[in-house]
Amino acid sequence: MSALHRTPTHRADGSPVYFRGVRVAPKVAAATGGAVVAAGLSVAGAGVASAEQSVWDKVAQCESGGNWSINTGNGYYGGLQFSSSTWKAFGGTAYAATANTASKAEQIAVAQRTLAQQGPGAWPTCGQRAGLTKANGGADANAQPGGSSSGGSSAPSTSGDLVVDGKFGPATTRALEKWIGVSQNGSLSTGDIKALQSKVGAKADGKIGSETTAKLRAAIGQKSNGAWDFRSDSSSVTALQRFLNSGAPAASTPAPSTGGSTGGSSSAGKLVVDGKFGPATTRSLQSWIGVTADGSLSTSDIKALQSKVGAKADGKIGSETTAKLRAAIGQKSNGVWDFRTNYATVKALQQYLNAN
């Protein structure tokens, strides 16, 4: 037999799958907090990633032979081998139905969200072999493609100007925040995006898409190029950096920042829809269930929540409580155990609480 055989690290039933002529055992899921990521099984003979490769390139080399568009039919997709449930739970379906049809930057952004919640253990074998940590993997529950947590540096030069490198990192973000008149913290929040959209004449819905990108490009003197998210489009970021370096006037009245507050409230009293279950989201949920809004969910608060959504009132959050809550806010069950640690569920909850 020409293919090399690798003894599986984890026990799993079913037929083996194939990567680049290498026979490996089928992958098993690593479940933490209700989200599932394919366990990383190294491909024998695939080689070791070079030292200058990013840690995510090393994980991908181990998981999929470095093929970011791979789909072998084994239920896991893309370079980092996401299951459909994990891809959905961490917001990946905003980019593509499955990871293999998303860009590398989008897959890394979803991986960084996963890493923030589950840690390197989400890739138990390949994460360890790649030396993956929350620090070097850019763990960020609100990571965005091409943002600061997926490799963009955008560091300022010694002259104070942005480095024109086409990477949307913290320095470029701060310069953009200054231009639109919000607090310059280097992290583009939903509130910041709305301020940007208002400035360039796009619909202020807090979601970056083709309209926002086209309007921004027009505002900085560029024609539309069909890009969806300017942050992950090198030519758009390059043009933006040059525009900001040219002395673009800042907004006259800085607006209050609404980002980075882990479930904070905007200046309009609405929750920031960031998928983070923080004190503000907790208080809003407490108001909805009719208990004291102190920002800390107690056992009695959980029982009140369970009674409201029709779950067993035992004061313990589990899959039944989460499924019942999702149903109450118009969402189908996604198999998550604790809604508080699930990005997609918290995001849907925040949107529901803002509307009610």
Side-chain angles (χ1 to χ4, degrees):
M1 172 178 277
S2 59
L4 299 175
H5 179 270
R6 183 185 182 282
T7 303
T9 305
H10 300 277
R11 187 179 305 164
D13 296 328
S15 302
V17 295
Y18 295 84
F19 289 113
R20 297 189 176 185
V22 181
R23 190 169 184 260
V24 298
K27 302 197 175 201
V28 294
T32 306
V36 181
V37 173
L41 298 182
S42 176
V43 178
V48 179
S50 61
E52 57 270 15
Q53 286 180 299
S54 78
V55 70
W56 289 115
D57 285 322
K58 294 177 183 179
V59 175
Q61 184 65 36
C62 175
E63 287 282 356
S64 62
N67 186 343
W68 293 88
S69 59
I70 196 168
N71 176 13
T72 65
N74 68 338
Y76 302 100
Y77 306 90
L80 302 171
Q81 293 288 273
F82 282 100
S83 67
S84 294
S85 59
T86 297
W87 183 250
K88 180 179 179 181
F90 289 94
T93 51
Y95 310 123
T98 52
N100 61 298
T101 57
S103 69
K104 176 180 176 181
E106 289 164 346
Q107 292 180 50
I108 290 175
V110 176
Q112 289 168 326
R113 297 173 196 169
T114 307
L115 182 65
Q117 180 178 308
Q118 298 187 353
W123 296 268
T125 299
C126 289
Q128 184 176 9
R129 292 186 179 183
L132 176 65
T133 65
K134 284 191 173 184
N136 66 21
D140 181 355
N142 202 32
Q144 298 295 330
S148 60
S149 44
S150 60
S153 57
S154 297
S157 68
T158 54
S159 66
D161 285 344
L162 294 171
V163 174
V164 180
D165 58 4
K167 298 177 181 179
F168 193 80
T172 299
T173 303
R174 285 191 291 271
L176 178 61
E177 288 172 324
K178 180 179 180 181
W179 180 56
I180 62 179
V182 298
S183 295
Q184 299 158 47
N185 60 11
S187 178
L188 206 61
S189 69
T190 301
D192 295 344
I193 293 169
K194 288 180 179 179
L196 169 64
Q197 290 168 323
S198 296
K199 186 172 182 71
V200 301
K203 180 182 177 182
D205 59 3
K207 300 176 182 178
I208 294 178
S210 58
E211 183 200 3
T212 301
T213 296
K215 293 283 190 178
L216 173 62
R217 286 182 62 88
I220 63 177
Q222 302 292 314
K223 294 180 179 179
S224 175
N225 65 353
W228 183 263
D229 189 331
F230 70 87
R231 296 170 296 183
S232 57
D233 179 56
S234 178
S235 65
S236 294
V237 176
T238 296
L240 176 62
Q241 289 167 330
R242 287 172 177 159
F243 174 80
L244 294 171
N245 279 343
S246 70
S252 57
T253 305
S257 173
T258 62
S261 55
T262 314
S265 297
S266 70
S267 56
K270 296 286 189 179
L271 292 171
V272 174
V273 180
D274 58 4
K276 300 176 182 178
F277 193 81
T281 300
T282 303
R283 285 191 292 270
S284 184
L285 177 62
Q286 288 170 320
S287 295
W288 181 58
I289 61 179
V291 298
T292 302
D294 59 4
S296 178
L297 207 61
S298 67
T299 300
S300 60
D301 293 344
I302 294 171
K303 288 181 178 179
L305 169 63
Q306 291 168 324
S307 296
K308 186 173 182 71
V309 300
K312 180 182 178 183
D314 59 4
K316 300 175 183 178
I317 293 177
S319 57
E320 183 200 4
T321 300
T322 297
K324 292 284 190 178
L325 173 61
R326 285 182 62 87
I329 62 176
Q331 303 292 314
K332 294 181 179 178
S333 175
N334 63 355
V336 167
W337 184 262
D338 188 331
F339 70 87
R340 297 170 297 183
T341 60
N342 179 245
Y343 176 86
T345 302
V346 174
K347 194 172 181 179
L349 176 63
Q350 290 167 329
Q351 290 169 336
Y352 176 84
L353 292 171
N354 278 342
N356 291 274

